[in-house]
Amino acid sequence: MPELQIFVKTILSMSRRSIPLAYLFVLVSCSRHAFDPVSEQARLLRRDAEWADLASVGKDVDKIVSYWSDDAVLIFPGQPVLEGKPAIRAYVEASLKTPGFKIHWVSEKPAFSPDGKLAYMRGTDELTVPGPNGTTTTLHLRGISVWRRDADGQWRCVVDISNEEPSAPPAVN
């Protein structure tokens, strides 16, 4: 009989020790937030709009470049493929020093991977650059950007691709 009492006491003491662990496990499990595509859509569009506004002002190269991931790839019309932040930073810095350069874009319709770690969205850009005769010309671009939610929880662009919109078809009389 004393053996049974020792066994019961052992089981009870183990259970008492397990309660805080079980509570901690439940707490940690419940603290993970499920991916909410509606709120993430608003968050990503807001982040992209902030980025577009910063690029339009064109004063803070480091802040502008911070919206791309370290391993980002850029594919722009008439430009070589740019890979990584050093190449991207050099491109942004040179662009902002170009007389007449101006850029602004608007993105829409983010779509997310099932786990909420990747997203893509399309957008339209207006890019003003020096033209062939010295005057500025504005290009109308369309593009796709791919975003990744990094370990710090921040969305960063990992792939940025654009091309020129086609010319408007001639008006039919």
Side-chain angles (χ1 to χ4, degrees):
M1 191 69 140
E3 293 167 0
L4 182 59
Q5 288 175 338
I6 292 172
F7 178 72
V8 169
K9 284 182 182 181
T10 303
I11 295 294
L12 288 174
S13 74
M14 283 177 52
S15 295
R16 280 188 225 126
R17 279 187 256 148
S18 300
I19 289 172
L21 288 175
Y23 178 73
L24 183 61
F25 177 75
V26 168
L27 199 64
V28 169
S29 297
C30 292
S31 69
R32 288 189 187 158
H33 298 286
F35 175 70
D36 178 7
V38 173
S39 67
E40 284 302 317
Q41 179 178 11
R43 185 171 169 234
L44 182 53
L45 286 170
R46 189 172 44 253
R47 180 155 169 82
D48 186 71
E50 290 168 0
W51 186 25
D53 291 343
L54 275 169
S56 284
V57 172
K59 294 188 188 280
D60 191 342
V61 173
D62 291 328
K63 186 72 171 169
I64 294 167
V65 173
S66 74
Y67 284 77
W68 280 291
S69 65
D70 290 340
D71 59 344
V73 175
L74 279 60
I75 303 173
F76 295 151
Q79 300 292 319
V81 173
L82 300 170
E83 295 186 56
K85 272 203 179 159
I88 293 168
R89 188 183 196 299
Y91 175 78
V92 169
E93 195 167 36
S95 296
L96 295 177
K97 288 180 180 175
T98 303
F101 175 85
K102 183 131 175 107
I103 187 168
H104 196 270
W105 65 88
V106 176
S107 298
E108 63 180 3
K109 299 185 179 183
F112 296 94
S113 63
D115 64 1
K117 292 181 181 178
L118 292 172
Y120 71 89
M121 56 187 166
R122 66 184 186 198
T124 56
D125 303 23
E126 281 193 3
L127 177 64
T128 303
V129 293
N133 61 1
T135 62
T136 58
T137 185
T138 299
L139 304 173
H140 298 275
L141 306 172
R142 58 191 175 174
I144 295 287
S145 57
V146 178
W147 293 72
R148 178 177 61 218
R149 194 168 42 165
D150 281 346
D152 65 0
Q154 195 65 262
W155 286 103
R156 289 194 177 76
C157 185
V158 291
V159 179
D160 197 349
I161 301 173
S162 64
N163 63 8
E164 286 190 60
E165 288 183 348
S167 301
V172 178
N173 291 337

